[in-house]
Amino acid sequence: MKNILIALILIAIVGSASYYIWKSKKRGQKCIGCPYSGCEKCKCKSKP
């Protein structure tokens, strides 16, 4: 029973993180973890 509960919690965490990344990419954010991801002067290396 503990294993099932732990698995459900992990699935919920991974699922919510994936949903957040998907929604951010859909809005057009280039680098999600960067505080400047909304502006064009972002200095992250993850820009294409």
Side-chain angles (χ1 to χ4, degrees), residues 1-22:
M1 188 65 173
K2 277 185 174 180
N3 292 338
I4 294 172
L5 184 62
I6 292 171
L8 289 175
I9 291 171
L10 286 175
I11 290 171
I13 290 170
V14 170
S16 63
S18 299
Y19 179 74
Y20 175 75
I21 292 170
W22 176 71

Side-chain angles (χ1 to χ4, degrees), residues 30-31 36-37 39-48:
K30 303 266 189 247
C31 39
Y36 304 109
S37 63
C39 72
E40 295 180 14
K41 297 178 182 179
C42 181
K43 296 176 183 170
C44 288
K45 295 178 181 176
S46 64
K47 282 186 151 183

